[in-house]
């Protein structure tokens, strides 16, 4: 390896470490956002035990849900972009300099996921996402509408 390649390798290693740290940071931000949403729903449920569902609750539910969903997906897209950056810009160049395959150099980023586990993970992610971002606020909205209609009919 030439001196120029060694310097390039050092920069690639530093870039790889910074990118992996950024992926971890964004992943933790996603987990925090999801935990905050679950916490919000738990708080709202405790509020609804002592009061009836009102228009402001529905508005708050949808605002929190939309903001949470956008944040969660934005971070997910950025994680995918950073992974692609490692695969295409760092792994390939470093592998070429070291005369090895990119797969053997950074297998966690270059190799495809195990299809069996990837399928299960994606299915569970969809179920969780639909429940958190759709089913819960949708159900509460329908309950509010039904409750409002029933009140109007009874008056």
């Amino acid at each position: 390896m030439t001196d120029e390649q060694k310097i390039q390798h050092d920069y690639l290693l530093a870039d790889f470490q910074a990118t992996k740290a950024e992926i971890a940071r964004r992943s933790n931000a996603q987990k925090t956002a999801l935990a905050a949403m679950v916490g919000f729903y738990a708080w709202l449920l405790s509020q609804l035990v002592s009061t009836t569902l009102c228009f402001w609750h529905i508005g708050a539910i949808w605002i929190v849900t939309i903001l949470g969903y956008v944040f969660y997906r934005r971070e997910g897209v950025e994680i995918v972009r950073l992974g692609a950056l490692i695969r295409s810009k760092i792994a390939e160049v470093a592998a070429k300099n070291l005369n090895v395959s990119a797969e053997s150099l950074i297998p966690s980023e270059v190799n495809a996921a195990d299809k069996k586990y990837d399928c299960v993970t994606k299915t569970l992610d969809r179920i969780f996402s639909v429940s958190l971002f759709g089913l819960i606020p949708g159900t509460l909205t329908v309950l509010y509408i039904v409750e409002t209609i029933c009140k109007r009919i009874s008056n």
Side-chain angles (χ1 to χ4, degrees), residues 104-118:
S104 65
L105 187 61
I106 308 176
S108 65
E109 295 295 333
V110 177
N111 289 332
D114 185 332
K115 290 185 185 203
K116 175 183 164 187
Y117 295 109
D118 198 36

Side-chain angles (χ1 to χ4, degrees), residues 11 29-30 39 47 64 70 85 88 101 104 110 120 126 133 136:
Y11 278 104
Q30 281 185 309
Q47 297 297 308
V64 168
V70 169
L85 177 75
S88 64
S101 69
S104 65
V110 177
V120 170
R126 284 187 192 105
F133 299 118
I136 293 172

Side-chain angles (χ1 to χ4, degrees), residues 36-105:
M37 286 192 67
V38 170
F40 170 75
Y41 289 147
W43 171 81
L44 185 64
L45 182 62
S46 72
Q47 297 297 308
L48 294 178
V49 168
S50 61
T51 185
T52 59
L53 196 60
C54 72
F55 178 75
W56 297 110
H57 290 127
I58 299 302
I61 289 165
W62 283 105
I63 288 170
V64 168
T65 299
I66 290 168
L67 291 175
Y69 179 79
V70 169
F71 179 82
Y72 180 78
R73 290 297 172 203
R74 183 195 70 181
E75 294 300 309
V77 168
E78 190 61 16
I79 288 168
V80 170
R81 185 191 73 78
L82 291 168
L85 177 75
I86 290 172
R87 274 189 305 282
S88 64
K89 304 293 183 190
I90 298 172
E92 288 180 9
V93 175
K96 182 180 174 187
N97 285 347
L98 297 171
N99 293 321
V100 297
S101 69
E103 293 84 11
S104 65
L105 187 61

